[in-house]
Amino acid sequence: MIRLETILTPGRSLVNVPGGSKKRALEKVANLIAEQVPELEMQDVFDKLIAREKLGSTGFGNGIAIPHCRLEGCTAPVSALLHLDAPIDYDAIDGAPVDLLFVLLVPEAATDAHLELLRQIASMLDRKEVRDRLRAADSSEALFQVVLDVQNEH
């Protein structure tokens, strides 16, 4: 099983991110990932995430979105976690605005292991106390640490 801390880094865990709109938040994600993972292009990441949203919103409810896509040139799963400075409209299933985005990019030839990662993220964010801890984190390190702690509790 792939563990979340192997695909998420403190540098890709950001708090107080200016959101503004769904498009702007995904742009921010794409920029962040392209800066940190040189083999991935910002525009590719952005286009693929937007294309995935057009199939159906990745807003899961309770202020959570899990934007995800398969990506050519991506050799291993890459994740990012953003807590926005203010909730944004995200067309989530419950209609609630979103302030936590847990992004997952997987290789084009995604496998069951990658689906398992998506399930892990969704079930972690399904717990109110985890969402509360993520929202209370006041730094990138603290946000990343919540994910580590939650992983180690299991």
Side-chain angles (χ1 to χ4, degrees), residues 4 8-9 12-30 32-33 46 49-50 53 57-68 78-92 96-105 118 121-122 124-125 131 134-135 143-144 147:
L4 293 178
L8 183 68
T9 64
R12 289 196 303 270
S13 309
L14 297 185
V15 295
N16 294 322
V17 177
S21 68
K22 182 185 205 173
K23 188 176 173 210
R24 206 163 306 138
L26 292 175
E27 216 165 19
K28 180 82 182 164
V29 162
L32 174 67
I33 289 172
F46 179 68
L49 286 172
I50 289 288
E53 291 299 327
S57 175
T58 57
F60 275 63
N62 294 312
I64 304 290
I66 309 177
H68 58 279
V78 173
S79 199
L81 176 58
L82 278 68
H83 182 208
L84 304 179
D85 60 358
I88 56 171
D89 181 31
Y90 208 91
D91 308 315
V98 161
D99 67 338
L100 282 172
L101 285 85
F102 206 122
V103 185
L104 179 64
L105 307 179
L118 206 52
I121 293 168
M124 177 176 85
L125 296 176
R131 294 193 304 271
L134 289 170
R135 289 185 171 114
L143 194 63
F144 180 70
V147 175

Side-chain angles (χ1 to χ4, degrees), residues 107-121:
E108 194 76 79
T111 64
D112 287 349
H114 300 139
L115 288 175
E116 179 52 42
L117 270 175
L118 206 52
R119 274 196 298 274
Q120 261 186 69
I121 293 168

Side-chain angles (χ1 to χ4, degrees), residues 123-139:
S123 71
M124 177 176 85
L125 296 176
D126 215 26
R127 294 164 44 206
K128 184 183 183 314
E129 55 98 18
V130 172
R131 294 193 304 271
D132 291 347
R133 283 160 63 187
L134 289 170
R135 289 185 171 114
D138 56 4
S139 69

Side-chain angles (χ1 to χ4, degrees), residues 41-63:
E41 286 291 320
M42 181 273 170
Q43 199 60 48
D44 287 350
V45 174
F46 179 68
D47 291 346
K48 280 285 168 67
L49 286 172
I50 289 288
R52 171 61 190 82
E53 291 299 327
K54 285 182 177 151
L55 298 175
S57 175
T58 57
F60 275 63
N62 294 312

